Amino acid sequence: APADVVADGTRSGLRGRGGAGFPTAFKLEACRNAAGTTKFIVCNADEGDPGAFSDRYIMEHRPHSLLMGMILAGYVAGASWGVVYIRGEYPESIVRIRAAVEELQGAGLSGKDIFGSRFSFEFKVIAAQGAYICGEETALLSSIEGQRPEVRVRPPYPAVQGLFNQPTVVSNVE
């Protein structure tokens, strides 16, 4: 059950791998409890730090792990959409993630009503335009919305009012 996963995540101390190291379970629970018609899981794969290639490695060699993690996060947070925002300078990563999305859909592991569970989770893959500021989660959300990527004032936090003003969990690839 989602509440059990949140409890396990809280006990484990699992934190995001971004600069803030924010508790993952807290984000998932906040999103789940937020009012909203549509909820999102956003993966920030716009790795902008020079010499950093851990995201690229995961996307190109373990794409299903990344996508399954997003599906599980979606289940826990009550989200039906996953957005993977990939650095445009990683064309092979974009190809591999899109192919893995198609494989999951073909196997019935993503899409509408997964295995008759009434849980649906769809993916959108976006090739980023190379703005370093998109490493900050609210700037990334603005970019996805087609706006200028600028940092938003908080609160409200993305888990309550994020992508398209809907509850959103943003996490990086790791």
Side-chain angles (χ1 to χ4, degrees):
D4 294 337
V5 177
V6 168
D8 286 346
T10 301
R11 275 192 302 278
S12 75
L14 179 66
R15 294 180 174 273
R17 300 286 293 181
F22 202 81
T24 303
F26 183 84
K27 281 186 180 184
L28 293 170
E29 185 174 38
C31 184
R32 181 165 198 78
N33 293 335
T37 56
T38 303
K39 297 179 181 184
F40 298 93
I41 301 296
V42 174
C43 178
N44 184 352
D46 188 29
E47 187 169 55
D49 294 331
F53 298 103
S54 61
D55 291 358
R56 184 177 186 178
Y57 178 84
I58 292 168
M59 289 186 288
E60 293 178 11
H61 298 282
R62 309 267 327 220
H64 296 93
S65 295
L66 167 63
L67 298 174
M68 290 302 293
M70 291 179 69
I71 292 169
L72 291 170
Y75 175 72
V76 172
S80 56
W81 281 96
V83 179
V84 187
Y85 187 88
I86 305 174
R87 183 177 183 81
E89 291 85 357
Y90 290 174
E92 183 62 27
S93 295
I94 295 166
V95 168
R96 294 284 294 137
I97 291 293
R98 285 186 174 150
V101 165
E102 289 179 16
E103 290 169 8
L104 290 176
Q105 289 171 335
L109 295 169
S110 71
K112 302 282 185 209
D113 193 28
I114 299 170
F115 294 126
S117 65
R118 296 192 313 213
F119 170 64
S120 300
F121 197 83
E122 304 280 346
F123 283 100
K124 180 167 182 70
V125 179
I126 297 174
Q129 299 301 309
Y132 184 78
I133 190 67
C134 288
E136 196 282 330
E137 65 183 0
T138 62
L140 174 126
L141 296 175
S142 293
S143 177
I144 293 171
E145 293 171 348
Q147 301 174 33
R148 184 177 180 167
E150 294 179 336
V151 175
R152 298 177 187 177
V153 175
R154 288 174 271 189
Y157 293 94
V160 175
Q161 188 177 351
L163 188 61
F164 302 111
N165 293 317
Q166 298 297 317
T168 304
V169 173
V170 181
S171 195
N172 69 6
V173 171
E174 289 183 286

